[in-house]
Amino acid sequence: MTAHATGSPIGILAGGGLFPGAVAREIVAAGRSVHLIGIEGEADAAIEAFPHSWVKWGEIGKLLDELKKAGARELVIIGSVTRPDMSKVRFDLGAILNLPIVLGLMVGGDDSVLSSVVRFFEAKGLTVRGAHDVAPRLVLGEGLVGRHAPSGEDRKDIDKGFAVVRALGALDVGQAAVVTRGHIIAVEAAEGTDRMLMRAADLRQWGKGRGRKRLGVLVKRPKPRQEMRVDMPAVGARTIELAAAAGLAGVALMADGVITAEREAIARLADENGLFVAGIRDVAE
């Protein structure tokens, strides 16, 4: 049973995956209404369970009009997207009127692009909210997800992994790393966490002959100065499956710095595969 909706609806610009629907359910459960705007080719049809509209890449004017018609003054941007082929994008009038700004959004690394996106919508009178603000129950806090816990050696790898992401993240490199007994096995780049884990699976020689089936950790945390409103690190069940396939001992996620829409599935997979998943404070923060 949900609370009675109060106030203006919160707009959700929806990409792919489970997060748009999960965030929408949390908002509704808290007593607010929502209006989702799905990006065609990115968002799932599941968003149609809520008040919604669809837009194509380039339909900036339509996007702003739909938010205005819905009465939304706040916007959450959530879900996976791929950078569009700009040669195939057809800009509407709203995009053309903002063309210098829109083209500028496509330039630079992820951090600069996402910060520009926030500034663009805020210049249009919208308040951009993070998923962690409107759906705090999706944020992973401190503690275990499942029954397994990291060992003392795992904690050393976790500390080193946090340090790696802090250092490289300042250069807008990535949010995750794999560390095995002090060896940096892989660092996330443009391919994302899951593909990084596939690379790490080819480097399991670090665990051979060490007397332990599972060895090493995946560490994930926000980069320094990351725009958390639109790019908070996320973890799903698939990541846990790949960490298990790579032979890792566990997954360490910075407490209060990572969100998930699949907490129960993550706990089940961790227990079934004998690895830990834990929200852990970065002692250097």
Side-chain angles (χ1 to χ4, degrees):
M1 184 175 181
T2 60
H4 179 71
T6 59
S8 61
I10 295 177
I12 299 176
L13 180 55
L18 299 174
F19 278 105
V23 169
R25 285 190 293 274
E26 290 293 311
I27 292 172
V28 171
R32 294 287 299 275
S33 59
V34 295
H35 187 92
L36 281 75
I37 299 181
I39 303 171
E40 292 187 17
E42 305 284 356
D44 300 330
I47 72 166
E48 295 181 353
F50 304 92
H52 68 280
S53 307
W54 289 96
V55 298
K56 298 176 182 177
W57 282 111
E59 292 185 328
I60 304 296
K62 182 179 179 182
L63 166 60
L64 295 171
D65 285 343
E66 292 294 336
L67 289 169
K68 184 176 181 179
K69 285 193 294 184
R73 296 190 292 272
E74 299 167 273
L75 179 65
V76 177
I77 303 171
I78 190 76
S80 59
V81 295
T82 55
R83 291 201 183 194
D85 180 348
M86 296 306 294
S87 68
K88 298 179 180 178
V89 171
R90 297 295 177 262
F91 293 116
D92 66 6
L93 180 60
I96 292 172
L97 292 173
N98 293 280
L99 195 56
I101 299 172
V102 172
L103 292 177
L105 298 180
M106 304 298 171
V107 178
D110 287 346
D111 287 349
S112 62
V113 168
L114 293 170
S115 295
S116 296
V117 168
V118 170
R119 290 195 298 272
F120 173 79
F121 284 113
E122 290 189 332
K124 300 300 179 182
L126 293 159
T127 299
V128 178
R129 303 281 302 279
H132 56 296
D133 288 330
V134 299
R137 293 199 304 174
L138 300 183
V139 179
L140 287 166
E142 189 170 10
L144 300 179
V145 181
R147 66 174 181 267
H148 298 286
S151 68
E153 289 297 318
D154 293 331
R155 292 300 294 254
K156 293 178 183 177
D157 284 344
I158 291 167
D159 289 343
K160 186 161 189 176
F162 279 152
V164 168
V165 179
R166 280 198 311 273
L168 295 180
L171 301 174
D172 197 8
V173 173
Q175 304 172 343
V178 174
V179 181
T180 300
R181 293 302 179 262
H183 297 282
I184 302 168
I185 303 301
V187 175
E188 181 188 51
E191 83 274 42
T193 303
D194 288 355
R195 288 189 177 276
M196 178 197 69
L197 285 169
M198 294 176 191
R199 286 195 283 115
D202 296 329
L203 297 168
R204 289 189 61 183
Q205 65 267 29
W206 290 112
K208 292 181 179 179
R210 304 284 181 101
R212 179 176 174 178
K213 181 180 180 181
R214 294 198 170 279
L215 206 65
V217 299
L218 164 68
V219 170
K220 190 159 188 172
R221 55 150 292 157
K223 295 175 285 186
R225 299 179 298 280
Q226 186 160 328
E227 179 48 87
M228 297 286 276
R229 287 174 292 177
V230 290
D231 192 28
M232 190 171 190
V235 65
R238 178 62 174 160
T239 299
I240 308 307
E241 291 175 343
L242 291 170
L248 299 183
V251 177
L253 308 163
M254 194 175 89
D256 299 327
V258 178
I259 59 174
T260 185
E262 299 180 277
R263 189 186 300 259
E264 292 182 1
I266 286 172
R268 174 178 54 78
L269 286 167
D271 290 346
E272 288 176 355
N273 288 282
L275 72 163
F276 71 84
V277 178
I280 295 176
R281 301 285 174 198
D282 185 345
V283 296
E285 285 288 298

